[in-house]
DNA sequence: CTGTATCCTTAGGGATACTG
DNA sequence: CAGTATCCCTAAGGATACAG
């Protein structure tokens, strides 16, 4: 696990944890697409390779963003879910969706989602959070 | 300039533009510390190296996040400022500050800033934005 | 001092083979 | 299928030298 930070500026802290091209996509898949299994992450649109996926899952787990538990229905696989610390990233991800959707002319973000967030931020956050607690 | 994206998911789009360890620190320096010159960025706490700084300034400019103009008072240097697209990153950066401050026990984020954002998000955003328009 | 360029090392990442 | 491991190439980044 990472122990030394270049600084304790909260932006730097955040970037040292998930400031790469893949980590937030995994979090996105759990948060918005309900994915929980290794194979589901592998099949995401951006085609992450298996070594990178394993590495990022481990780093996210080390940083207590996700938690990995055995699937009681199939002991040879694991379920990856967000911790509370991971769920706390929701507002940040939503702002990223709004920014990306606004500035990418080819965005795939559904306008009704963006509009709902803009007009009714807090209730949307609460609604999504409800679905993130599996325990 | 980057032309092909792995996908047009807005989170992926965002991460392909500023999903690295340095870009958002430059934006932070402009946004919250009023920095505008190459040398000011070089002196930031995290000690970015000069080649990386030059590369990121160029990429941010290519992506229309910042704009580079000659300093009329000193024609051998440039002033780097945020475009509207860059200023649009403010809410995202603020959420990142909140998350980082909450989850880094050694954070340097001033609690009064965090509290103000949590209790009075919109007015804080407006106030900061006012100071970002130099034109 | 404002950048650019070069050298070199390390980290990121793609392809693919492999184990249970 | 779930994940690990290896091979190899490219991109990121640090140090430092250099030019205006």
């Amino acid at each position: 696990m990472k122990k030394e930070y270049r600084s304790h500026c909260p932006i730097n802290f955040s970037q040292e944890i998930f400031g790469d091209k893949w980590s937030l996509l995994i979090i996105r898949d759990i948060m918005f697409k309900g994915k929980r299994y290794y194979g589901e992450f592998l099949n995401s649109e951006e085609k992450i390779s298996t070594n990178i996926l394993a590495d990022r899952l481990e780093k996210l787990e080390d940083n207590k963003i996700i938690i990995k538990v055995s699937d009681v229905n199939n002991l040879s696989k694991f379920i990856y879910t967000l911790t509370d610390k991971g769920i706390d990233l929701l507002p940040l991800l939503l702002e990223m969706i709004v920014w990306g959707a606004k500035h990418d002319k080819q965005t795939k973000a559904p306008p009704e989602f963006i509009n709902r967030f803009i007009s009714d931020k807090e209730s949307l956050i609460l609604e999504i959070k409800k679905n993130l607690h599996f325990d």
Side-chain angles (χ1 to χ4, degrees), chain A:
Chain A
M1 174 160 181
K2 185 66 151 318
K3 281 166 187 88
E4 289 171 37
Y5 294 93
R6 298 178 300 197
S7 82
H8 285 282
C9 162
I11 294 175
N12 180 63
F13 177 81
S14 301
Q15 286 307 90
E16 291 204 47
I17 291 177
F18 52 76
D20 69 275
K21 306 267 183 252
W22 294 108
S23 296
L24 287 185
L25 298 185
I26 296 172
I27 296 169
R28 169 202 67 185
D29 282 352
I30 305 178
M31 204 173 261
F32 300 110
K33 305 192 178 184
K35 296 186 181 181
R36 283 171 304 170
Y37 295 104
Y38 193 89
E40 293 180 301
F41 302 127
L42 261 191
N43 291 330
S44 72
E45 192 179 0
E46 295 85 6
K47 292 281 160 265
I48 190 170
S49 61
T50 175
N51 56 332
I52 302 299
L53 175 58
D55 178 79
R56 292 307 186 280
L57 286 172
E58 188 183 344
K59 285 184 179 165
L60 288 171
E61 197 189 358
D62 287 344
N63 282 301
K64 312 265 192 275
I65 306 280
I66 64 173
I67 189 166
K68 174 186 186 178
V69 293
S70 289
D71 182 355
V72 289
N73 298 315
N74 181 343
L75 292 177
S76 76
K77 65 200 288 195
F78 293 96
I79 296 177
Y80 302 90
T81 54
L82 293 168
T83 62
D84 285 339
K85 183 176 177 182
I87 293 174
D88 278 345
L89 287 169
L90 177 57
L92 170 57
L93 270 284
L94 289 171
E95 293 293 354
M96 195 169 286
I97 291 170
V98 169
W99 187 88
K102 178 170 178 183
H103 295 285
D104 178 15
K105 293 111 312 214
Q106 296 176 251
T107 187
K108 287 184 179 164
E112 61 275 16
F113 184 88
I114 304 294
N115 290 335
R116 165 118 192 250
F117 176 66
I118 290 170
S119 70
D120 198 10
K121 200 170 296 200
E122 296 308 322
S123 92
L124 180 59
I125 288 178
L126 285 177
E127 184 178 319
I128 295 174
K129 275 194 184 176
K130 248 193 326 198
N131 297 318
L132 292 174
H133 286 287
F134 300 105
D135 28 54

